[in-house]
Amino acid sequence: MRSTFVVLVILFLSVLAVAAAVPTVSYTIHIKSADLSGFDVEMRFRSATPTVRVAMAAHPEYDDRYWRYIENFTAESAGKQLNISKTQDTVWKIDGVSGIVVVRYRLHLPPQVNENRDAWKPFLTSTGGMVGDLHSLMYVVGNSSAPSQLTLDMPADWKAASGLESNRDVRIFAGSAELMLDAPVMVGKFQEWNFTAGRVPHKIVVWSPADAPTFDSAPLVDGLKKIAAEAIRTFGAPPYHRYVFLFQNGGEAALEHLTSVNIGHTFSRGMDGLFEEVAHEYFHAWNLMDVRPVERVGLQTTFARPTGVLWWNEGATIMFADYLLRRAGLPGSEPSRITHLETAMTRYFSSPGYITLSAEQMSRGDTDPGGLGDYGGSTHLQGELLSTILDLAIRDHSDGQRDVTDVMTLLSDRFDYRRGITNHDIEQAALQVCPSCDIHTFFKDHIYGAGQIDFDKYLGLLGMRSEVTRSAALGSDGKPSVDLRIGPLQNDVADGFKIRITNPQSTWGKAGLHTGDRLLSVDGTPVSSWPDLRAWLRKLKIGDVGRLEIVHNGVKKTVEVPIAGYDVPTVKISEISAPTPRQLKLRNVWMSAN
């Protein structure tokens, strides 16, 4: 009797396992070499309700709005064409469903505008390209965790690589719908290398145009192995079960994902700056993708709400990436941590926004720059500096036994991509790592509140001090440079081209211009885009008077701007007189990124 019961239990569990493995959403991407202007997508799923909505997710950082390129959208169920309506730009409502639904559409790839393609955007050529993720696939609204499968119907001599779980059939990948929409797929004829770090499989893929010159791949492979090994050694088990580095030779920029990263790089130009970018984007797998802002949890059909924690997700990541490079012995842009800090502090003192705006405000301004008013700045820079001084405080209070990497590790243990973080969570993690630190005051003064960082307070822990001097900004010809601290508020000019002022004390701010003003013309010439304004700015000379016609708060007016130069800071860090052995010990450990 007992053996019969055991057999029944085993059979029951086997049925559950098989059921769990069966995808509830099946995607097929059809790539035809005869027409590479786009590709066809088929999506199959079962619905228990007569009405269902499918949607394209909006990326929280780069919302490329690929819903604009969807063509020939149809849906059928039980052999009948279904009624379709759009409830918003990204959402299709399907009525009359009965059981299995088959959705079909074509993604018509937009033309490449820039000389170099953004590495994360889908494309196709005769030798390969990139498909998948939220640029190509839709999901069933309300069912983002559905087990899903992606099948690639593509030329027979092409390969495919992705951070998704792969099948024995190299054309089939699996994962939840949310992971499916996060994971791009490189297809075509490409080079690939495999390695293991922390017992986890990693893959390096480089797709190159047919006419691209060959390059020595050994430094690339060796460097990526070192970065991955150092990250896992420092922060423990990675937040992924597999990882793929997807390089587009000749592309530009980069974008992180949970189990992969897109990186554009022209390898014929060497490796300068590559490992810095790779380390930064790769570590986002820990900090931003897995440990992510609460506002960015789950798939969303509209652009994510601004978040106040990017100072940590972006800024601390820059600091950690610098750690990893130095610990791995890989080249960076600056020879020492002191010179790196001098450069960062120089940028900090270049804009009053860092002193006027809290880290929360600056973080929100990353995706809502209009919310910063007439101040500019980078949450990446502000966050890197705040993470650095927090690190120094923790090291000092713990006599070198703890540091800010312990804060990151604790957050990784407590949170993942399904449960986002707030600044309170970061504060509590820092307090647990360093109970004797005055974490509350640090967050009150710098994260929730605004004010100038007392750098010498923290540099003093290393037996060092800083000096800030100012001088006229000079051009490459050694002459004073024109103040060009004006730019576009956004790239989309559907409601008119609007300007952004990044310093109220700039030439433009003093003249009475403000962020959000709609620019109509400059010196009588109509302006409708950033390239138009930039072309005019390049012609200006100190002593000129520019006449800008704008609309401010609904009122049209002309503003005269006397064109002038401006001052820039220089920061130099030096040793104080008679540093103590404790200060020297802390400095040596910090300088070596240990």
Side-chain angles (χ1 to χ4, degrees), residues 123 125 127-129 186-187 189-190 205-209 247-249:
F123 71 98
T125 73
T127 60
M186 190 75 82
V187 296
K189 302 172 183 179
F190 49 71
V205 172
V206 178
W207 176 86
S208 300
F247 288 93
Q248 185 183 151
N249 192 359

Side-chain angles (χ1 to χ4, degrees), residues 157-450:
D157 58 345
W158 282 17
K159 300 183 292 184
S162 173
L164 292 165
E165 181 180 351
S166 58
N167 191 287
R168 289 184 178 180
D169 185 334
V170 297
R171 297 162 180 261
I172 299 177
F173 297 91
S176 69
E178 182 171 358
L179 293 178
M180 195 72 66
L181 268 67
D182 177 64
V185 184
M186 190 75 82
V187 296
K189 302 172 183 179
F190 49 71
Q191 297 172 278
E192 59 183 319
W193 302 264
N194 296 287
F195 69 92
T196 299
R199 299 183 179 180
V200 176
H202 294 68
K203 183 187 291 288
I204 304 167
V205 172
V206 178
W207 176 86
S208 300
D211 59 351
T214 59
F215 68 97
D216 182 6
S217 61
L220 173 68
V221 175
D222 182 62
L224 296 191
K225 286 181 178 179
K226 289 179 178 178
I227 290 173
E230 197 57 55
I232 294 171
R233 186 185 74 83
T234 302
F235 297 97
Y240 52 79
H241 299 297
R242 71 201 66 81
Y243 196 87
V244 182
F245 298 89
L246 300 169
F247 288 93
Q248 185 183 151
N249 192 359
E252 66 179 11
L255 185 62
E256 66 283 338
H257 307 282
L258 276 163
T259 58
S260 63
V261 61
N262 289 115
I263 299 177
H265 185 76
T266 302
F267 287 96
S268 61
R269 298 175 184 170
M271 297 289 183
D272 287 351
L274 178 60
F275 291 132
E276 286 180 288
E277 184 167 38
V278 169
H280 175 85
E281 301 297 342
Y282 168 63
F283 191 71
H284 271 322
W286 277 263
N287 193 22
L288 184 60
M289 296 309 298
D290 196 50
V291 177
R292 65 175 58 188
V294 68
E295 294 87 354
R296 296 188 178 184
V297 170
L299 296 175
Q300 302 178 43
T301 59
T302 57
F303 198 55
R305 291 178 293 120
T307 175
V309 302
L310 289 183
W311 71 271
W312 176 264
N313 291 131
E314 290 285 5
T317 292
I318 294 175
M319 186 192 69
F320 290 137
D322 185 62
Y323 266 27
L324 298 181
L325 285 182
R326 296 184 190 280
R327 291 179 179 183
L330 293 170
S333 59
E334 286 145 330
S336 73
R337 297 198 73 190
I338 289 297
T339 55
H340 183 85
L341 185 55
E342 286 175 336
T343 300
M345 288 175 61
T346 295
R347 292 175 57 202
Y348 174 89
F349 285 111
S350 296
S351 173
Y354 296 114
I355 299 169
T356 308
L357 302 171
S358 70
E360 276 197 326
Q361 289 174 297
M362 192 73 80
S363 292
R364 293 192 180 99
D366 189 69
T367 54
D368 180 26
L372 300 181
D374 292 337
Y375 292 95
S378 163
T379 189
H380 298 60
L381 173 67
Q382 188 182 41
E384 180 187 10
L385 288 170
L386 289 173
S387 301
T388 297
I389 63 174
L390 178 61
D391 180 52
L392 291 174
I394 293 174
R395 288 173 182 269
D396 179 66
H397 277 266
S398 66
D399 197 24
Q401 298 303 303
R402 308 298 295 272
D403 59 51
V404 78
T405 63
D406 295 305
V407 179
M408 184 69 241
T409 301
L410 188 57
L411 289 170
S412 295
D413 290 341
R414 291 179 175 175
F415 299 90
D416 62 21
Y417 70 95
R418 292 159 295 196
R419 182 185 173 215
I421 62 169
T422 65
N423 279 317
H424 177 73
D425 297 318
I426 304 170
E427 181 180 359
Q428 291 303 304
L431 184 61
Q432 183 170 337
V433 168
C434 187
S436 64
C437 294
D438 192 359
I439 298 297
H440 175 71
T441 298
F442 176 88
F443 272 72
K444 178 175 68 71
D445 290 347
H446 299 298
I447 309 305
Y448 310 123

Side-chain angles (χ1 to χ4, degrees), residues 571-582:
V571 174
K572 184 66 178 177
I573 297 175
S574 59
E575 185 175 87
I576 64 173
S577 61
T580 67
R582 177 186 174 88

Side-chain angles (χ1 to χ4, degrees), residues 35-42 56 65-75 84 86 89 92 103-111 135-136 138:
D35 182 5
L36 299 174
S37 64
F39 47 86
D40 297 318
V41 180
E42 182 177 285
M56 297 192 82
R65 302 183 299 164
Y66 265 56
W67 51 265
R68 296 176 294 173
Y69 310 121
I70 297 297
E71 300 176 345
N72 307 325
F73 185 98
T74 65
I84 301 166
K86 291 195 73 174
D89 289 333
W92 287 257
V103 172
R104 296 185 178 91
Y105 56 89
R106 180 171 179 79
L107 178 68
H108 185 86
L109 295 170
H135 290 89
S136 309
M138 300 185 184

